[in-house]
């Protein structure tokens, strides 16, 4: 059984199609890249999965639950692009707030990952570099135990070294019981982690490939394929 089933999904904003007849079957236990130019529909797809947007047409099931049901949010841990943390708070207070908010939050795991990166609980969020703040957001997101993780442009404020740390944490914490969908423009570090890649363009799925099969049959990188489908 697939973890996510998306059938004929459309989302219309006024006269604009944010998503246009999207059909996807997403298995459990994989790291999946979601690629596309700005405005291609990546964040809209995440918001529909979360139930933050109601679809104009179509159906979404996450672990067998419709995105129209409030319960679906207990199945997903979402790292959005907008700022949602109180930046004047120290890191430890934010972690304990997450523990209060989410029954599935593993405080011990969160504290261990922060310690691995040398981030102290008494440091205030607004005193961290943009890269370290992004890492705190990632750690908070993956310290919940859910079947689906959505990471929207997690590399946006990370330098090369921080992106490497991100990939190491992802590999360390990956579970075959869960799936990660990662929206990104940066493929260099991610390409070896991805098992499938979804390409969106103008709200439509223009490519959905199994990476290993693609490498065996085509003599080009995912970056080259991305350039082709994004034209």
């Amino acid at each position: 059984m697939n973890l996510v089933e998306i059938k004929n999904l459309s989302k219309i904003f006024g006269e604009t199609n944010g998503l246009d007849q999207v059909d996807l079957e997403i298995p459990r236990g994989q790291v999946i890249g979601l690629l596309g130019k700005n405005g291609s529909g990546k964040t809209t797809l995440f918001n529909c999965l979360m139930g933050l947007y109601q679809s104009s047409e179509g159906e979404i099931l996450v672990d067998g639950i419709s995105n129209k049901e409030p319960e679906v949010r207990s199945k997903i841990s979402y790292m959005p692009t907008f700022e949602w943390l109180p930046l004047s708070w120290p890191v430890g207070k934010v972690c304990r707030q997450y523990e209060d908010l989410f029954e599935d939050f593993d405080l011990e795991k969160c504290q261990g990952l922060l310690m691995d990166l040398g981030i102290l609980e008494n440091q205030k969020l607004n005193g961290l570099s943009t890269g370290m703040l992004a890492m705190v957001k990632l750690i908070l997101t993956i310290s919940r135990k859910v079947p689906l993780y959505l990471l929207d442009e997690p590399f946006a404020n990370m330098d090369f070294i921080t992106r490497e740390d991100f990939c190491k944490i992802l590999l360390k914490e990956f579970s075959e019981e869960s799936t990660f969908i990662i929206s990104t423009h940066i493929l260099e570090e991610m390409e070896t982690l991805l098992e499938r890649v979804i390409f969106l363009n103008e709200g439509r799925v223009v490519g959905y490939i199994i990476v290993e099969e693609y490498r065996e049959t085509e003599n080009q990188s995912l970056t080259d394929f991305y350039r082709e489908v994004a034209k």
Side-chain angles (χ1 to χ4, degrees):
M1 179 181 174
N2 290 308
L3 176 59
V4 179
E5 300 269 355
I6 301 174
K7 301 174 183 177
N8 196 36
L9 178 68
S10 294
K11 177 61 181 176
I12 300 172
F13 301 98
E15 298 181 356
T16 303
N17 283 334
L19 295 172
D20 189 3
Q21 297 181 328
V22 171
D23 288 289
L24 288 169
E25 294 182 345
I26 298 174
R28 192 182 302 270
Q30 298 211 340
V31 180
I32 297 173
L34 179 62
L35 305 180
K37 296 184 290 187
N38 290 335
S40 62
K42 301 187 300 297
T43 297
T44 300
L45 179 59
F46 279 172
N47 285 333
C48 284
L49 282 165
M50 283 289 295
L52 300 176
Y53 289 167
Q54 289 301 311
S55 56
S56 304
E57 182 181 348
E59 180 183 21
I60 298 176
L61 297 176
V62 178
D63 208 18
I65 298 172
S66 169
N67 71 321
K68 296 181 174 67
E69 300 295 331
E71 185 186 349
V72 78
R73 298 188 192 182
S74 68
K75 300 291 183 178
I76 304 171
S77 189
Y78 183 24
M79 179 179 172
T81 54
F82 60 82
E83 184 55 67
W84 77 97
L85 297 177
L87 297 181
S88 62
W89 285 18
V91 173
K93 183 176 179 179
V94 174
C95 296
R96 288 186 290 276
Q97 178 76 357
Y98 258 63
E99 185 183 32
D100 291 340
L101 287 172
F102 303 108
E103 292 182 1
D104 53 40
F105 186 74
D106 187 337
L107 179 61
E108 186 176 342
K109 172 181 175 179
C110 179
Q111 291 171 330
L113 290 170
L114 291 169
M115 188 179 300
D116 289 345
L117 290 174
I119 299 173
L120 302 177
E121 291 194 38
N122 62 1
Q123 290 181 270
K124 290 190 175 182
L125 294 178
N126 56 16
L128 298 173
S129 68
T130 54
M132 283 298 100
L133 177 59
M135 290 298 288
V136 170
K137 293 175 180 178
L138 170 67
I139 289 169
L140 289 168
T141 303
I142 66 175
S143 293
R144 291 183 59 199
K145 188 175 182 181
V146 295
L148 181 61
Y149 298 88
L150 305 178
L151 310 180
D152 197 0
E153 296 292 350
F155 293 140
N157 295 307
M158 294 184 186
D159 58 27
F160 173 76
I161 299 300
T162 311
R163 293 199 302 268
E164 281 195 331
D165 288 337
F166 167 94
C167 293
K168 288 174 185 175
I169 289 175
L170 197 61
L171 280 173
K172 177 183 175 184
E173 299 302 325
F174 177 72
S175 164
E176 293 185 357
E177 297 301 313
S178 300
T179 286
F180 284 82
I181 305 179
I182 304 170
S183 164
T184 182
H185 293 288
I186 300 171
L187 279 176
E188 287 80 5
E189 292 87 1
M190 287 296 299
E191 188 162 343
T192 57
L193 297 178
L194 301 177
E195 294 165 271
R196 294 176 185 241
V197 176
I198 302 163
F199 295 91
L200 290 180
N201 193 21
E202 296 182 349
R204 286 181 170 269
V205 176
V206 294
Y208 184 26
I209 63 174
I210 299 173
V211 174
E212 193 58 37
E213 290 181 1
Y214 177 78
R215 288 198 185 107
E216 290 176 358
T217 57
E218 304 292 336
N219 187 28
Q220 62 177 358
S221 67
L222 286 179
T223 302
D224 292 331
F225 185 62
Y226 180 30
R227 290 193 184 100
E228 286 185 9
V229 299
K231 289 179 182 177

